[in-house]
Amino acid sequence: MAPQFYNDNANELAQQYLSKSFEEVHQSWSEFLPGIIKNPHARILDLGAGSGRDAKYIAQLAIQTHRDKNNTQVFAVEPADMLAELGARQTSGLKVKWLTDSLPALSIITKQEVSFDLILLSAVWMHIPISDRARSIRKLANLLKPGGKLVISLRHGQTDEERQTRKMHNVCADELKSLAAGVGLFTLLETAKEADKLGRNHVSWQTVVLQMPDDGTGAFPFIRHVALNDGKSATHKLALLRVLLRIADGHAGAVLRREGDRVILPVGLIALYWCHQYKDLIDTHKIFQTPNKSPNMGFMKANGWHKLTHRTASDYCIGNLFTGDDAIALHKTITSAVSNIKTMPCRFITQPNSHQPVFEVASKTVKAKDSIFLDLQTLAQWGEFSLPEATWLAFNRYACWIEPVLVSEWVKTMASYAGNSHYKSPEKQYHLHQALNWLEPKRTTTEVRNRFDQLKEVLPAQEQIRCVWSQKSLKQKYDIDHSMPFARWPNNDLWNLLPTDSKINNQKSDRLPTEQKLKQAKASIQHWWQIAWLDDTNILTNQSAFLKSVKPAALLKNEQRQRFFAEANIALPGLSSDNSSVDDLFEALMMQRGRLKEMQQLADW
């Protein structure tokens, strides 16, 4: 596409597009639309949204269908800024989010970490060069939900001038269907060529509707095969799969970028969580992870792992600070873990019937220092880890189904090792299940409760802390609520823990706040974030006794602010690693609410 042409002629083109209604232009496939809109939480992408005609129609249809229970989201993507500006005016007041992006990369949309029930490409495909079409269809397929539909209108016929000024190319339905079949989409509808609605004799149109099968891309059965059937001389493969699942499910912001059909993550984060999950298994529970008689594994070095036996698994989490000898030992531990991941599971997990590795590591040498703050930027120093986008999406979408498979197989594998023979009987394997808990009980709401109690003592009377959901004053009995329910999405980050009236918290239980309720609580939530973690005060925070003994309160406060944003920026979708905006954070929280609703079908509150 040539955005310059569309910007230069934006007003004329917008009038032309708006002269025809949605029903006139899309009559051939509109029979599918009511079934999609029937879902009050549908997510729709209008790619090449132009003047906003189609986005407006779909958003209004959703309102008519669901009225005040409408949670449909429409994303309108338009690469020509002037057209997008006119389109945004058309959809003003409707639930339409406008973004500037384009195929084949779609980097902005992809960063949102969301998937769609419907993707509409109206008069777009002819702008994509043949060389970019395979990559484009892969990207579109990866953005579809299982069962989602992709509607592409094909323009046949261009003048030489249109080819030059508007960057148009020939299109072919058979070529499109072949590309779609290669990424697992099937053809639901292919219309005959129809006359141009604007009366241009040299132009005709054809519509192809493609659909993603409900069983997805084949990544899910592949993951299941590695977990259940692949040879396991140690628990390395299961450990890597579980780490990737936990990052995909809980850290949407961890993606550094996408290249082609691969997702790039910081390998330091993989290594940190590798150590996190092995820490209690090995140091606390003394459970063997290989058939060997030695409990030592390749990444457990004398100058690294074994100098940190006084640390717990919860120390190996985003937002924590290590100093002195502990920092140097952690540097060496992460380096050893990166090496072990690269040479063991990444080397031996290969594509079916192939020696081609599924996962790749490009590691870097990192010099040990006497201070390490665990955030995305720090962990990216060790290099990069890449995996197929389809595998990443399977972890992301099916985490609640995949994790029990991984944990169950890990328990069976550990019980089969000679060093763990006392756990062989099924009735004793509950201990192995317990040892595989990802989060320790102590990393729950205690720290936030302590912070609440500190603030209650020092804040002036007119600044009483109130329930974020009901605005009731919290004087005596209160709870700390996980805004995104912990039972469904285990997350003890500071941004997710909010002071709440006990009665209100009981009513909310494990339900997900509606979009409307979350929006209504925005000011209260942001106020709590500000006074508890971000304001420049000298109130001591609930840090370790060691830190308090060597650091002034102002420095502790800065570290706490760092931790707050480090946790949020990696957990929530669409945030940059250096984000420090609570408004952007709240928008990402809204997006995460939508993702959880879609993936887990949680009950609304």
Side-chain angles (χ1 to χ4, degrees):
M1 180 180 174
Q4 191 60 48
F5 172 86
Y6 288 85
N7 280 326
D8 291 344
N9 300 276
N11 287 312
E12 179 187 339
L13 290 169
Q15 287 178 3
Q16 188 183 91
Y17 299 153
L18 294 170
S19 70
K20 299 298 174 184
S21 68
F22 178 94
E23 293 96 328
E24 287 178 281
V25 176
H26 297 296
Q27 185 273 332
S28 62
W29 67 271
S30 59
E31 63 183 283
F32 300 113
L33 192 54
I36 296 167
I37 295 295
K38 187 169 69 173
N39 172 11
H41 303 283
R43 196 176 288 126
I44 289 136
L45 173 61
D46 183 4
L47 194 52
S51 59
R53 176 197 62 208
D54 299 343
K56 179 179 180 179
Y57 177 88
I58 292 169
Q60 288 178 332
L61 181 62
I63 292 171
Q64 291 167 15
T65 304
H66 301 293
R67 306 214 176 267
D68 60 343
K69 294 185 178 178
N70 175 45
N71 284 303
T72 305
Q73 288 182 299
V74 179
F75 288 71
V77 170
E78 174 52 55
D81 294 337
M82 297 300 294
L83 259 182
E85 189 178 318
L86 294 171
R89 289 182 206 161
Q90 277 288 317
T91 59
S92 177
L94 297 170
K95 293 180 72 170
V96 178
K97 181 173 183 175
W98 283 82
L99 297 167
T100 302
D101 208 349
S102 60
L103 284 165
L106 281 183
S107 54
I108 304 299
I109 276 289
T110 303
K111 194 177 180 184
Q112 308 297 311
E113 295 288 345
V114 296
S115 52
F116 297 92
D117 299 273
L118 169 66
I119 300 176
L120 173 61
L121 277 75
S122 181
V124 170
W125 196 249
M126 72 279 192
H127 290 300
I128 301 172
I130 292 173
S131 58
D132 285 339
R133 288 179 183 169
R135 183 184 173 196
S136 295
I137 204 73
R138 271 201 314 271
K139 181 62 68 173
L140 292 166
N142 283 335
L143 287 170
L144 279 176
K145 294 180 187 178
K149 294 176 176 62
L150 171 60
V151 178
I152 300 179
S153 66
L154 301 175
R155 171 176 162 153
H156 298 280
Q158 303 94 26
T159 65
D160 288 341
E161 183 186 3
E162 286 172 333
R163 291 177 191 277
Q164 186 66 33
T165 60
R166 301 172 73 163
K167 303 298 182 192
M168 290 185 178
H169 309 272
N170 290 338
V171 297
C172 171
D174 287 341
E175 176 211 34
L176 175 58
K177 290 189 296 180
S178 174
L179 290 172
V183 293
L185 302 178
F186 66 88
T187 303
L188 195 61
L189 173 71
E190 178 188 359
T191 68
K193 291 181 182 179
E194 301 172 350
D196 179 53
K197 296 290 191 284
L198 295 172
R200 293 168 294 190
N201 292 330
H202 69 288
V203 177
S204 62
W205 294 90
Q206 189 178 13
T207 299
V208 176
V209 179
L210 306 165
Q211 184 164 325
M212 172 67 74
D214 283 346
D215 58 353
T217 62
F220 181 82
F222 164 73
I223 294 166
R224 191 173 183 277
H225 167 76
V226 173
L228 298 181
N229 305 320
D230 238 3
K232 290 180 278 291
S233 59
T235 59
H236 292 114
K237 290 181 181 178
L238 294 165
L240 180 58
L241 292 183
R242 194 178 186 208
V243 163
L244 292 171
L245 178 141
R246 279 288 173 165
I247 294 171
D249 185 42
H251 290 335
V255 177
L256 297 176
R257 66 184 186 282
R258 284 167 163 81
E259 287 182 354
D261 58 358
R262 295 186 74 82
V263 170
I264 314 299
L265 304 170
V267 73
L269 177 63
I270 311 285
L272 178 71
Y273 278 7
W274 175 271
C275 296
H276 171 96
Q277 67 178 348
Y278 273 126
K279 181 69 174 166
D280 281 347
L281 283 172
I282 295 170
D283 284 359
T284 304
H285 300 286
K286 314 294 183 190
I287 301 172
F288 286 74
Q289 299 301 309
T290 73
N292 304 326
K293 299 229 173 173
S294 167
N296 225 46
M297 298 183 80
F299 57 91
M300 297 168 60
K301 307 294 186 185
N303 63 354
W305 181 278
H306 291 300
K307 284 188 175 292
L308 293 168
T309 53
H310 59 287
R311 290 287 192 163
T312 66
S314 63
D315 292 326
Y316 294 0
C317 289
I318 295 298
N320 283 344
L321 173 72
F322 284 63
T323 58
D325 291 342
D326 279 8
I328 294 170
L330 182 61
H331 269 96
K332 294 180 183 298
T333 300
I334 291 176
T335 297
S336 297
V338 168
S339 176
N340 196 231
I341 291 164
K342 183 175 182 177
T343 57
M344 293 300 291
C346 286
R347 182 179 165 196
F348 294 108
I349 299 177
T350 59
Q351 301 285 359
N353 306 312
S354 164
H355 295 296
Q356 178 66 35
V358 175
F359 308 117
E360 297 174 359
V361 174
S363 54
K364 294 180 181 178
T365 301
V366 181
K367 185 179 178 182
K369 298 175 184 175
D370 62 0
S371 176
I372 177 171
F373 179 70
L374 296 174
D375 64 0
L376 193 62
Q377 291 165 307
T378 299
L379 295 169
Q381 295 176 88
W382 273 271
E384 297 177 347
F385 181 101
S386 86
L387 71 159
E389 188 169 37
T391 307
W392 169 260
L393 291 172
F395 281 130
N396 181 285
R397 293 170 183 170
Y398 307 122
C400 59
W401 297 335
I402 295 172
E403 185 161 36
V405 174
L406 296 178
V407 170
S408 176
E409 187 62 19
W410 199 333
V411 166
K412 283 167 56 182
T413 301
M414 290 189 295
S416 71
Y417 295 154
N420 303 324
S421 57
H422 49 298
Y423 294 121
K424 218 171 189 69
S425 63
E427 61 271 16
K428 290 194 175 179
Q429 288 179 18
Y430 79 93
H431 180 75
L432 300 180
H433 277 279
Q434 291 297 110
L436 281 168
N437 279 342
W438 187 263
L439 288 173
E440 290 183 282
K442 75 175 186 178
R443 242 190 104 100
T444 54
T445 64
T446 305
E447 180 176 8
V448 183
R449 279 188 166 275
N450 288 345
R451 184 62 176 152
F452 179 98
D453 293 339
Q454 288 171 343
L455 289 170
K456 196 167 62 171
E457 294 297 321
V458 298
L459 286 174
Q462 65 270 26
E463 277 199 51
Q464 287 181 340
I465 304 174
R466 297 182 178 276
C467 169
V468 296
W469 304 117
S470 68
Q471 299 305 308
K472 289 183 181 178
S473 177
L474 300 178
K475 293 179 180 176
Q476 298 298 326
K477 197 173 179 185
Y478 70 92
D479 286 340
I480 300 296
D481 174 44
H482 291 79
S483 66
M484 302 293 102
F486 184 87
R488 303 299 185 180
W489 190 60
N491 180 292
N492 279 320
D493 291 351
L494 298 180
W495 59 267
N496 195 36
L497 294 165
L498 307 171
T500 312
D501 176 77
S502 297
K503 187 176 178 182
I504 297 291
N505 193 40
N506 288 335
Q507 290 173 2
K508 179 175 179 281
S509 187
D510 292 333
R511 291 183 292 170
L512 192 66
T514 63
E515 183 176 324
Q516 182 183 11
K517 196 175 288 286
L518 204 54
K519 280 182 178 176
Q520 289 171 345
K522 177 180 178 179
S524 301
I525 292 172
Q526 290 185 328
H527 178 67
W528 166 252
W529 289 343
Q530 206 68 47
I531 63 169
W533 315 117
L534 305 178
D535 278 350
D536 186 16
T537 70
N538 286 325
I539 302 169
L540 276 172
T541 58
N542 182 42
Q543 300 282 342
S544 71
F546 168 75
L547 281 178
K548 285 183 182 178
S549 68
V550 296
K551 299 206 174 173
L555 191 53
L556 286 172
K557 190 67 186 180
N558 182 52
E559 287 172 4
Q560 192 164 253
R561 182 187 177 89
Q562 274 188 295
R563 174 185 160 192
F564 177 85
F565 281 112
E567 290 178 343
N569 294 345
I570 202 170
L572 297 172
L575 295 174
S576 62
S577 61
D578 59 352
N579 170 63
S580 60
S581 162
V582 291
D583 287 328
D584 289 350
L585 196 164
F586 191 84
E587 187 174 340
L589 174 57
M590 294 286 291
M591 187 71 69
Q592 179 63 12
R593 193 215 75 85
R595 291 175 72 238
L596 288 177
K597 181 67 183 176
E598 169 203 324
M599 291 187 292
Q600 300 200 28
Q601 301 297 304
L602 301 186
D604 282 332
W605 175 67

